[in-house]
Amino acid sequence: MPTAVPYCHLNIACALQNHSMLQKFGSSPLVHGSKLSQKPIKFPSVKEYCRQGSLIDAFRSLTLLPTADHSSNHFALEEPYSLMLDLCASQKSLSHGKQIHGRMIKFGLCDSVFLDTKLVQMYGKCGSWLEAEKMFDEMHDRTIFTWNAMLGAYVSDGKHMKALALYKEMRVLGVPLDAHTYPCVLKACGALNEPRLGAEIHGMVVKCGYGAFVFVSNALISMYAKCKDLDGARLLFDSMHEKYDVVSWNSIIVAHATEGHFSDALSLFRRMQGIGLPSNTYTLVATLQACEDPTFIKLGMEMHAATLKSDYYADVYVANALIAMYARCGRMEEAERVFVNMNSKDYISWNTLLSGFVQNDLYSNVYKYFREMWYSGQKPDQVSLLNVIAASGRLGNLSSGMEAHAYAIRNGMDSDMQVGNTLIDMYAKCYCVKYMGGVFENMHEKDLISWTTIIAGYSQNDCHLDALNLFRMLHVERMNIDVMMIGSILTACSGLKSKTSIKEIHGYIIRRDLADTLLLNAIVNAYGETGEIDYAKHVFEAIESKCIVSWTSMLSSYIHNGLSIEALELFCSLKETKLQLDSVALVSLLSAVASLSALKKGKEVHGFIIRKGFQLEGPIASSLVDMYASCGSLGGSEKLFNSVKKRDIILWTSMINAYGMHGFGTVAINLFNKMTDENIIPDHITFLALLHACSHSGLMTEGKRFFAIMKHEYQLEPWPDHYACLVDLLGRSNCLEEAYHIVKNMPIKPTAEVWCALLGACRIHSNKEVGQLAAEQLLQLDTENSGNYALISNILAANGRWNNVEEVRRRMKRNGLKKQPGCSWIEIENEVHTFTARDKAHPNSNGIYLKLAQFTKLLEEQVGYRPETKFVLHNVVEEDKVQMLVGHSERLALGYGLIATPEGTSLRIMKNLRICNDCHTFFKLASKVSKRVLIVRDANRFHHFQKGACSCGDFW
C-alpha cells in the first residue's frame, strides 16, 4: 500500500495547460522558473519511430542524444521520453521501460511530475505494480493523472483491493477526482463483486456531473453486469441519451451474453444494427458468444457468412469466437475448418480448438493438434496441457498422460494446482493409483477440488479404505465438504458394504442440511447396493422432486437385490409421470426383465424404446441382446445384433455371452474370431464371456488356449473370475489335479469363487480329498455367503456324513445365515407365476400336483423314468425322497405350463439354483413324451430340452 503523503495542491489548470502544450511541440512554457534554450531541440527520428511502433529503433535513437542536451534542456526532452514510455507500456516491454527509467535517473529527469506519472503508468501496464507503487511513493508532487495512473496499475494487475484502498485515500486527502478516476474504481468493484460500493460510486458520479461522459457510463454498465445486477445495467443503458457509442452497446451485449441471456443479447445486437451503428471486433465477439447456445446456431452461421464478406474475416479475435461458438454447439467440423483457414493463430486459437475437442469427446484429435501446435512454434501453455491431460484420462491412455506430466515438470507447470488436480483425475481414470496418490502428496497447495478428486479416484479404483481415511483427515482439518465428495464417500461405503458408515453419512447430510435431490439419489443407490432395500425405499419416497435419476436409482436397487417384480411395478408408476425416460433407466429396466426372463415384458420394452425414438446402439442395444438371451430367445438376440451397424466391444461381448449361456460354445468362438478380424480389440470382459462359453460347452482345449492368448497376446492379466472359469472348465472335465495345481500357483490370492468352482467339480467327480481342502479354504475366505455353506453341506450329505451336515447347518445359524430356497417361475399370458419347493400356495395347486403325478406315471410307462433319490440330500426315508423330487420348484412350474398352454407350446422356465440331475433327466424325457421344446434357465446356463436331449450335452 502506498504511503500517505500530504497532497500538494498544484494548480490543476496550469498542469492541464502544460500537458496540452506538450501536444504542440515548440512552445516555451516555464517550468520551475528555468529558462529554455532559444533553439528548441527537435527529435524527428524518435517521434517517427514511436509513431511506427518500432521500439528498438526509437530506443537506439534516444540513446544517441548528446549528453549536454540532457542537462541543458529538460523540458524539451519530456516529449521523446514520454513517447518512449508510452510505447513501452503499449508493447508491455518492461525491460526497455526500466532502461529508460535508468537514463532518466542518470540525467536528472526524474524531478518532473509529468514523466514520473508516465513511469507509474508504464510500470502498471507492464504488470509491475510493485515498481509502480514504489515510484508513486517516492513522488513528492502528484497530479490527478498520477493518482489515476496508480489506480490503473493496481487494476491492470488484479490488485483490486489495493485500488479501492487507494480510492478511499484519495477521498480522505481531498484529491479532486476527475472522470478518468471512476472507470478504474468501478472495474475493481465489479471484479470484487461489490455492488453496494459500486452504487455509492455511481452516486458520486451523478453528483459530480460525470454521468454525461460515455466512457464513465460504460464502466458503470460493466460494473453492474459483473455484480450480477443485469437489471441495473440495462436501466442505466436505456437511460443514456447518447446511443451512438459502440462501446456502450458492446458493454450491454457482453453483460447479457455473459449472464446467459442470449436472446436479449441478440435482440440488442439487432437494435444496434437497426440504428445504423457499425459493429466492431468486440461487438462480433460478444454476439458470437450469445450464439454459443445451440438454439441460435443458425444466426451464428449467418454472422460467420457476414464476416467472410467483411474486413473482420482475418481478425484473430473474431475467428477465435467462431471456433468457440461452433465447439459449444457441437459442430467441431466447422470449428476445425475456421481454425485451418486462419491466416494467423494465437495461443487462444489453439486452446479454444483443443478445449472444443475435449468438450465434444473427440480426444484423439487433441493429440493431433497438440503436436501441430508444437511443430508450428507455438509453445503449449497451461491450458493446452490441461486439455491433453484430460484427453489422456478420458481415453485411458496412461503413456500419453505420463508424457504430459513430464512436460509439466520440465516447464515448471506441475506446481500449478489446476494441473495437479487434472493429473489426479487422469491417473484415476487410467487406474494408476500409485501415481495418483503421488501427485496429490506432492502438491504444495490443495483446494476442495483436489480433495474431492483424490477421494473420487480412490473410490473408483476400489481403494475404499483410502478414500474413507482421506475423508476423515479432511473432516479433522474442518474444510468445507461438497456434494460431489459425499457422493464419492457413499461409493466407498457401498464398496465396503459398510451399512453403518452409510447411515452415518446419511445422518451427517441431514444435520448439515445438505439433502438435495442429487445426494438423496446417491443415498438410495448406497442403501440398495448394501441390501438395505427398506431404507432405500424410505429415502426414495421422501424425495419431493424426483428426477429420472431418482427413479433409476430405485430401479437399480430393486434389481440389485433380486426384486425384479418390484422393479417392473416401479416402472409402471414411472410411466405415469411426465418424466422423460433416458437410456440409463431403460437399461435398468431391461436388466429387471432379463433377471425375470419375462420375454413378453421384454418385447413390450423393446417396442417402447422404438416408439420413443431411441437409437438401437450402445448400451441399449447390448442390454436388448442380453435381455433376449436371458429370456431364452437366442434368435431375438441374433436378430438385434445383426441389425446394429455400429457394433462396439460391449455389443460383441454381449452376443458372445448369449451364445455361451445357451451352450453354443463353438458359435461363440467363431463370433470372437470374426470380431478380431474386424480389428475390435477384446478386453477382460470379452475373454470372461468366451471362457464361460467354453466352460458351458466342455471345450477344455479351446478354453485353455484362449486363456493363454489373453495373457500373452493381448497382455491382459487375468482376474480371479477368469481363473474361476478355467478351474471350472478343468474340474468339470475331470482334470482335478490340473485345476488344483492352477489354484495353488495363481499369482494372486484365490478368491471364494475360485475355491467354489473347484469344490463344485469335486462334488461332481466325488473327489473327497481335494474337496475337503477346498471346503476349508472356502469357509475361511467367505463365512457370510450362505451358498458356500449349502454347497459344502450338499457334498457332505452326498457322502452320508449327516453329523457333519448338521454341524455346517448350526454354523450357518450362528452366523445368522439361511439357505437360499429353490425358486422357479414361468411366464404365461403376460403374468409371472412363481413356485418354491413343495409349494402349495398357487391357486391351481391341486391341479398342478395331479397333472405332475399323471405325467410322471406316463414317463415311467413310456420311457422308463425312475427317480434318482441319491440326489435328495436329506436324511429321510426313500418314499419321502421321491415326494421331495416331485415337489422341486421347476417341476411345479412345468406342471402349471402343461395345464395352462395348448399342446406343442414351448415352455420357458427359470430357476434361481442349479438344476439337479434327476430333474435334468425328467425334463429330457418330458420333452420327448410331450413333444414340446422345454427351455430351462438355471443359475449356471440355459438348457434347451428337445426330443429327449439337452443342448448342454449333460455338461452343466
Side-chain angles (χ1 to χ4, degrees):
M1 187 64 220
T3 55
V5 296
Y7 178 71
C8 182
H9 294 278
L10 298 176
N11 188 321
I12 302 299
C14 180
L16 287 172
Q17 182 185 9
N18 290 342
H19 182 67
S20 64
M21 283 189 289
L22 286 176
Q23 307 304 319
K24 301 176 182 179
F25 189 72
S27 56
S28 307
L30 294 176
V31 178
H32 303 302
S34 61
K35 293 184 178 181
L36 302 178
S37 168
Q38 293 181 353
K39 295 182 179 180
I41 302 173
K42 296 182 180 180
F43 306 102
S45 58
V46 174
K47 292 171 63 176
E48 186 63 31
Y49 285 135
C50 286
R51 290 193 189 99
Q52 295 173 1
S54 179
L55 179 60
I56 295 176
D57 291 331
F59 186 77
R60 186 183 299 113
S61 179
L62 187 69
T63 59
L64 294 176
L65 289 174
T67 305
D69 291 338
H70 287 82
S71 58
S72 61
N73 198 352
H74 288 192
F75 182 77
L77 290 170
E78 283 191 347
E79 184 180 27
Y81 275 92
S82 169
L83 291 172
M84 286 295 299
L85 289 171
D86 286 342
L87 187 58
C88 291
S90 65
Q91 297 189 6
K92 293 182 170 43
S93 178
L94 182 61
S95 59
H96 283 96
K98 285 184 174 182
Q99 291 181 57
I100 293 169
H101 188 185
R103 292 182 62 83
M104 290 169 62
I105 294 171
K106 180 178 180 181
F107 297 116
L109 297 175
C110 283
D111 57 352
S112 165
V113 176
F114 177 66
L115 283 181
D116 287 351
T117 300
K118 287 287 183 179
L119 280 169
V120 172
Q121 187 179 52
M122 181 274 296
Y123 279 124
K125 290 188 176 181
C126 289
S128 183
W129 67 271
L130 283 171
E131 295 288 345
E133 187 179 77
K134 182 180 178 182
M135 189 71 215
F136 181 84
D137 288 343
E138 291 174 353
M139 292 176 65
H140 299 292
D141 296 333
R142 299 170 187 156
T143 66
I144 186 59
F145 306 111
T146 314
W147 290 89
N148 288 346
M150 193 63 234
L151 280 171
Y154 282 142
V155 172
S156 297
D157 216 37
K159 306 301 176 184
H160 302 110
M161 288 296 295
K162 284 182 171 289
L164 293 181
L166 186 64
Y167 168 73
K168 291 174 182 177
E169 184 180 348
M170 293 170 72
R171 295 285 303 277
V172 170
L173 294 175
V175 178
L177 310 180
D178 67 2
H180 295 276
T181 307
Y182 293 103
C184 288
V185 183
L186 290 168
K187 188 173 181 180
C189 291
L192 293 172
N193 193 17
E194 289 281 358
R196 291 185 61 183
L197 181 58
E200 289 178 13
I201 295 171
H202 188 181
M204 283 292 298
V205 167
V206 174
K207 183 178 179 180
C208 296
Y210 294 131
F213 289 85
V214 176
F215 64 88
V216 176
S217 295
N218 293 341
L220 282 165
I221 292 171
S222 179
M223 181 274 296
Y224 280 121
K226 288 180 179 177
C227 292
K228 313 297 182 186
D229 185 2
L230 199 57
D231 292 337
R234 186 62 181 266
L235 185 65
L236 181 61
F237 175 79
D238 291 338
S239 67
M240 290 174 64
H241 300 292
E242 179 58 63
K243 284 289 197 301
Y244 290 91
D245 180 65
V246 70
V247 179
S248 306
W249 286 92
N250 290 346
S251 298
I252 196 66
I253 291 172
V254 168
H256 282 82
T258 303
E259 289 300 306
H261 295 260
F262 301 125
S263 181
D264 292 333
L266 295 174
S267 177
L268 285 163
F269 174 67
R270 292 189 187 96
R271 279 180 57 192
M272 179 180 171
Q273 288 182 311
I275 64 173
L277 192 62
S279 305
N280 62 14
T281 298
Y282 298 102
T283 315
L284 293 173
V285 169
T287 310
L288 287 170
Q289 183 184 351
C291 294
E292 289 178 6
D293 187 321
T295 310
F296 305 112
I297 182 63
K298 186 177 179 181
L299 178 59
M301 295 177 76
E302 291 174 2
M303 292 187 64
H304 185 188
T307 59
L308 293 174
K309 301 174 185 177
S310 69
D311 296 334
Y312 295 111
Y313 171 65
D315 191 291
V316 67
Y317 300 107
V318 174
N320 292 345
L322 282 167
I323 296 170
M325 177 198 70
Y326 281 126
R328 289 284 180 88
C329 294
R331 305 268 189 124
M332 283 310 298
E333 289 184 6
E334 286 88 345
E336 193 171 4
R337 192 177 297 116
V338 171
F339 178 83
V340 170
N341 291 327
M342 288 176 69
N343 295 325
S344 61
K345 305 175 181 73
D346 60 9
Y347 69 95
I348 296 176
S349 313
W350 290 95
N351 290 339
T352 305
L353 185 71
L354 292 175
S355 299
F357 284 131
V358 171
Q359 292 162 11
N360 289 278
D361 302 334
L362 300 171
Y363 306 117
S364 298
N365 296 49
V366 175
Y367 295 136
K368 173 188 172 185
Y369 279 96
F370 184 79
R371 286 192 292 268
E372 287 189 16
M373 181 181 185
W374 182 271
Y375 296 144
S376 71
Q378 182 78 51
K379 187 177 179 181
D381 65 357
Q382 177 184 323
V383 178
S384 319
L385 189 66
L386 287 171
N387 283 310
V388 173
I389 297 170
S392 301
R394 302 299 190 281
L395 289 172
N397 191 333
L398 180 60
S399 59
S400 295
M402 293 180 73
E403 287 177 12
H405 189 181
Y407 178 87
I409 294 171
R410 288 196 303 272
N411 290 273
M413 298 183 192
D414 59 318
S415 59
D416 180 83
M417 189 161 54
Q418 193 175 1
V419 171
N421 293 343
T422 311
L423 282 169
I424 293 171
D425 182 65
M426 181 272 294
Y427 281 123
K429 287 182 168 60
C430 292
Y431 309 106
C432 190
V433 178
K434 180 181 177 182
Y435 288 156
M436 178 188 74
V439 171
F440 180 78
E441 291 297 328
N442 291 326
M443 289 177 67
H444 301 299
E445 291 184 30
K446 302 178 181 75
D447 62 359
L448 184 61
I449 296 174
S450 313
W451 287 91
T452 303
T453 308
I454 188 70
I455 288 173
Y458 279 128
S459 297
Q460 293 161 11
N461 285 276
D462 297 331
C463 300
H464 305 306
L465 281 175
D466 293 305
L468 285 174
N469 289 334
L470 278 176
F471 181 71
R472 292 190 187 99
M473 189 185 306
L474 184 67
H475 201 264
V476 169
E477 294 190 9
R478 298 183 179 279
M479 285 186 69
N480 290 327
I481 296 170
D482 64 359
V483 172
M484 288 187 65
M485 184 178 296
I486 294 176
S488 297
I489 288 301
L490 285 170
T491 301
C493 295
S494 300
L496 290 169
K497 304 298 180 186
S498 176
K499 300 176 183 179
T500 304
S501 297
I502 294 171
K503 291 174 182 177
E504 288 176 358
I505 298 295
H506 190 185
Y508 176 86
I509 291 169
I510 293 171
R511 289 195 304 274
R512 296 297 180 92
D513 196 23
L514 299 173
D516 62 359
T517 303
L518 183 65
L519 267 185
L520 291 174
N521 295 341
I523 292 170
V524 171
N525 268 327
Y527 279 133
E529 289 181 12
T530 53
E532 294 282 0
I533 196 67
D534 290 335
Y535 279 97
K537 186 178 179 181
H538 177 74
V539 175
F540 171 75
E541 291 174 347
I543 300 174
E544 294 181 3
S545 302
K546 296 181 181 68
C547 62
I548 188 62
V549 179
S550 311
W551 290 88
T552 306
S553 299
M554 195 64 228
L555 276 172
S556 301
S557 296
Y558 277 137
I559 294 163
H560 183 76
N561 288 276
L563 302 172
S564 300
I565 294 175
E566 287 81 353
L568 290 177
E569 291 173 351
L570 185 69
F571 176 72
C572 293
S573 301
L574 171 58
K575 285 201 298 184
E576 294 174 2
T577 69
K578 295 182 180 180
L579 290 173
Q580 190 71 31
L581 270 75
D582 60 7
S583 59
V584 180
L586 290 170
V587 167
S588 298
L589 180 63
L590 287 168
S591 177
V593 173
S595 64
L596 281 174
S597 289
L599 182 59
K600 288 186 179 179
K601 289 285 185 186
K603 288 181 177 180
E604 288 178 11
V605 176
H606 189 178
F608 178 85
I609 289 169
I610 293 171
R611 288 195 305 274
K612 292 297 182 179
F614 285 93
Q615 294 294 321
L616 295 181
E617 58 186 22
I620 289 180
S622 303
S623 298
L624 281 168
V625 166
D626 183 65
M627 181 275 294
Y628 277 115
S630 298
C631 291
S633 177
L634 187 60
S637 294
E638 289 177 321
K639 185 177 180 180
L640 190 88
F641 177 80
N642 292 328
S643 69
V644 179
K645 295 180 180 179
K646 295 181 180 180
R647 300 171 187 161
D648 57 13
I649 182 63
I650 301 173
L651 185 62
W652 285 94
T653 301
S654 297
M655 196 65 230
I656 290 170
N657 186 60
Y659 282 127
M661 73 168 70
H662 283 270
F664 296 96
T666 304
V667 182
I669 291 172
N670 292 336
L671 187 65
F672 175 83
N673 293 331
K674 184 179 179 181
M675 181 191 79
T676 53
D677 289 341
E678 294 189 15
N679 296 320
I680 304 292
I681 300 174
D683 59 9
H684 282 89
I685 308 297
T686 310
F687 277 105
L688 193 59
L690 192 60
L691 289 171
H692 270 296
C694 293
S695 177
H696 291 162
S697 300
L699 303 174
M700 183 181 69
T701 304
E702 290 83 352
K704 291 169 66 176
R705 180 168 63 86
F706 282 116
F707 190 85
I709 287 172
M710 172 189 173
K711 287 180 65 176
H712 304 300
E713 187 173 329
Y714 289 96
Q715 304 295 313
L716 295 173
E717 194 61 35
W719 296 344
D721 292 340
H722 296 98
Y723 282 103
C725 266
L726 184 62
V727 169
D728 181 69
L729 176 60
L730 292 169
R732 290 179 185 277
S733 302
N734 203 16
C735 297
L736 284 170
E737 290 186 7
E738 185 178 355
Y740 185 51
H741 176 76
I742 287 174
V743 174
K744 288 195 299 181
N745 292 282
M746 281 174 59
I748 54 179
K749 186 178 180 180
T751 60
E753 289 75 19
V754 175
W755 288 111
C756 195
L758 184 62
L759 184 59
C762 292
R763 175 193 173 188
I764 294 170
H765 299 290
S766 302
N767 189 317
K768 298 179 182 179
E769 184 181 350
V770 177
Q772 180 69 25
L773 292 170
E776 292 173 359
Q777 292 292 331
L778 188 57
L779 287 177
Q780 289 178 13
L781 281 175
D782 193 352
T783 59
E784 296 186 1
N785 189 330
S786 61
N788 295 340
Y789 283 102
L791 178 59
I792 294 168
S793 175
N794 289 341
I795 292 174
L796 294 171
N799 295 325
R801 298 168 58 183
W802 299 110
N803 291 334
N804 297 111
V805 170
E806 288 301 321
E807 175 59 29
V808 171
R809 289 174 180 170
R810 281 195 293 270
R811 287 183 63 178
M812 286 181 67
K813 190 173 183 180
R814 284 198 302 269
N815 291 336
L817 301 174
K818 292 183 180 180
K819 181 182 176 182
Q820 185 181 12
C823 177
S824 298
W825 59 96
I826 184 170
E827 182 186 18
I828 294 176
E829 295 183 355
N830 211 24
E831 185 177 354
V832 177
H833 299 263
T834 306
F835 302 89
T836 57
R838 299 185 294 281
D839 189 4
K840 294 187 178 181
H842 194 275
N844 205 359
S845 179
N846 293 332
I848 293 170
Y849 278 97
L850 179 61
K851 180 65 176 178
L852 276 177
Q854 295 171 348
F855 192 68
T856 302
K857 187 174 181 181
L858 188 64
L859 293 183
E860 291 172 349
E861 293 173 351
Q862 291 191 8
V863 289
Y865 167 70
R866 294 291 180 271
E868 298 180 72
T869 56
K870 67 178 182 179
F871 296 111
V872 179
L873 304 175
H874 293 273
N875 190 16
V876 294
V877 298
E878 190 71 13
E879 185 178 345
D880 289 341
K881 289 184 178 182
V882 172
Q883 291 303 314
M884 286 182 175
L885 288 173
V886 173
H888 278 192
S889 61
E890 59 265 49
R891 294 200 200 188
L892 297 177
L894 174 62
Y896 182 69
L898 293 173
I899 294 172
T901 61
E903 291 186 7
T905 304
S906 297
L907 298 177
R908 289 184 173 85
I909 297 170
M910 276 52 69
K911 181 177 172 65
N912 64 333
L913 302 177
R914 180 181 181 273
I915 188 171
C916 74
N917 292 61
D918 183 69
C919 286
H920 192 269
T921 301
F922 185 90
F923 271 80
K924 282 198 299 183
L925 299 176
S927 68
K928 183 177 182 180
V929 172
S930 66
K931 297 180 181 179
R932 294 177 183 244
V933 175
L934 305 176
I935 302 172
V936 178
R937 191 195 80 181
D938 69 0
N940 289 351
R941 54 169 301 151
F942 269 93
H943 302 264
H944 294 253
F945 299 99
Q946 190 173 11
K947 297 179 181 180
C950 180
S951 61
C952 73
D954 299 335
F955 186 91
W956 78 100

